[in-house]
Amino acid sequence: MPELPEVETVCRGLALKLLGRRLVHVEQRRANLRFPFPADFASRLAGRRVEAIRRRAKYIVIDLDDGQILLVHLGMSGSMVVNEKRPALLDRHDHVVFDIDDGTCVRFNDARRFGMMDLVAAADFAGHKLIRGLGLEPLDPAFDGKALAAMLKGRKTAVKLAIMDQRLVVGVGNIYASEALHRAGISPKRQAGTVQGERAAKLAAAIKQVLKDAIKAGGSSLRDYVQANGELGYFQHRWKVYDREGEPCRICGGPIRRLTQGGRSTFYCPTDQR
DNA sequence: CGGCGGTCCTGTCAGC
DNA sequence: TGCTGACAGGACCGCC
C-alpha cells in the first residue's frame, strides 16, 4: 500500500479538491471492501460538506459538517482518482464514486480490496477500533531516539518487524522500513531490543528523514498508485535498497541482499548494516 | 502481553 | 501463446 508519505500526498491532493465542497451524490458499488460498509453509507454522505482532511497513521480522516468522520484506508492497492467530470465508463475496481458540487468526480479504486471505509461520529473517533491502538506518529517531535528505544526495549523480534508494528510507530511500511534501516546502518535482522542509545537515535532520525524525503518528492509510488490529483505520471523513487536485490549498494558497491521476514521481502546491505 | 502464521483479494510477471 | 506459481505497498485475528 501506499505508506505514510503516499497517504500524506493523497490527503493533500484531496484537500485541494474537496475542502469546503459538498458531496452531492455518493455511489457505493459493492457491499464490502475489507469490511462491510456501514449501514446507509452512501445516503449518510450525500449532501455533506467537507470541513477538514487529515491523516492518522495510514488512514485518511475526513471531517464532515454533520459531525461524522469518513475514515478511509487504501490498503495495498487503493487509490483516489480525481477527474474534472465523472467518466462515462467506470473501472471494475471503482468501488465508491463521489460526485462533488463543482462537477468533479472522485473515485476510490482498489483492485485487491484490502482497503476500507467507515463512518464514525467525531466523538467516537479516538476510541474507534482501528484507531485506538495506533502508536506514535513518526514525524511528531515526540518520536525521537529515546521514545524509539523505549518502545523497542525488551522486544525479541527483528527490528524491521518492530518498526512496521503500527502499535509502536505508525506509517512505516515495507519499503520505508528497509530504506530507514539502511540509512541508519542497522541490520534488519538485529533484535529490536538491542537498538538502544545512539543506534535508536540514528534509526529514529533515519525514519523521519526517509519519510520526509518521500513526502517532499510528492509521495513515491509503485505501479498501481495514482496521485490524488488524478495525474498519472507518477513518481519513480530511486530506492537505496528496496527492490534492488543483487544490484550494487550505493555506499559500498557490494550486492544488495533480499530476505524474508514476517512473510515480506526485506532488502539490505550486509556490509553497511550491522 | 509478545510473537508468529494464516488470511482476505486481484493483478502481474517470470519461467516453463 | 498459455499455464502455473510466486509475489505485491497492509494489518487483523486467533493461536501458542
Side-chain angles (χ1 to χ4, degrees):
Chain A
M1 124 187 193
E3 302 184 27
L4 183 152
E6 289 75 26
V7 178
E8 181 66 30
T9 300
V10 170
C11 281
R12 291 178 188 185
L14 283 178
L16 289 174
K17 297 288 183 179
L18 293 186
L19 232 43
R21 304 241 70 105
R22 264 179 211 288
L23 314 175
V24 292
H25 179 74
V26 177
E27 182 183 350
Q28 175 194 329
R29 305 183 71 233
R30 55 174 300 123
N32 65 293
L33 293 169
R34 176 171 187 177
F35 307 115
F37 280 90
D40 307 316
F41 176 76
S43 63
R44 288 164 67 190
L45 287 172
R48 300 280 55 82
R49 198 164 60 90
V50 174
E51 298 205 318
I53 298 181
R54 59 185 194 278
R55 178 189 61 71
R56 170 69 174 120
K58 299 175 195 172
Y59 292 92
I60 301 168
V61 181
I62 303 177
D63 291 316
L64 302 170
D65 63 348
D66 64 346
Q68 294 186 103
I69 288 176
L70 171 59
L71 186 62
V72 179
H73 197 294
L74 300 175
M76 290 261 234
S77 55
S79 62
M80 291 286 191
V81 186
V82 181
N83 295 105
E84 295 301 308
K85 294 167 52 180
R86 186 182 169 110
L89 284 179
L90 295 176
D91 183 88
R92 61 185 295 237
H93 300 302
D94 286 337
H95 304 311
V96 182
V97 182
F98 302 88
D99 289 305
I100 314 305
D101 62 1
D102 62 356
T104 62
C105 175
V106 179
R107 291 176 286 158
F108 175 80
N109 184 287
D110 184 8
R112 291 176 73 183
R113 303 207 301 271
F114 286 179
M116 58 80 60
M117 286 197 192
D118 199 8
L119 277 171
V120 52
D124 299 334
F125 179 72
H128 189 279
K129 193 171 186 251
L130 299 173
I131 299 295
R132 65 179 177 226
L134 292 173
L136 214 45
E137 285 286 337
L139 298 180
D140 187 317
F143 178 76
D144 59 11
K146 266 183 104 167
L148 178 61
M151 58 181 75
L152 297 183
K153 193 172 181 190
R155 295 197 179 257
K156 300 225 182 303
T157 194
V159 62
K160 193 238 187 182
L161 297 177
I163 61 173
M164 290 177 66
D165 186 337
Q166 304 298 301
R167 294 167 300 185
L168 301 178
V169 56
V170 301
V172 180
N174 200 42
I175 292 177
Y176 296 107
S178 282
E179 293 295 313
L181 287 163
H182 180 257
R183 190 181 176 104
I186 296 170
S187 167
K189 295 183 281 191
R190 174 178 279 275
Q191 190 172 297
T194 70
V195 177
Q196 295 289 312
E198 189 52 37
R199 265 201 195 93
K202 221 169 166 185
L203 181 53
I207 289 171
K208 285 178 194 280
Q209 202 55 54
V210 296
L211 296 176
K212 278 186 197 166
D213 285 352
I215 290 171
K216 195 169 175 185
S220 48
S221 54
L222 298 180
R223 56 181 163 271
D224 49 4
Y225 172 67
V226 179
Q227 283 199 8
N229 62 14
E231 288 172 11
L232 290 169
Y234 37 79
F235 182 78
Q236 278 295 324
H237 197 98
R238 274 173 62 90
W239 311 117
K240 298 280 200 304
V241 287
Y242 183 78
D243 203 23
R244 295 193 65 236
E245 183 181 15
E247 293 174 41
C249 172
R250 299 196 208 280
I251 298 173
C252 72
I256 298 300
R257 295 261 173 79
R258 186 183 87 90
L259 67 103
T260 300
Q261 292 179 293
R264 325 273 311 267
S265 289
T266 300
F267 300 87
Y268 72 111
C269 172
T271 304
D272 298 324
Q273 296 178 247
R274 291 289 158 182

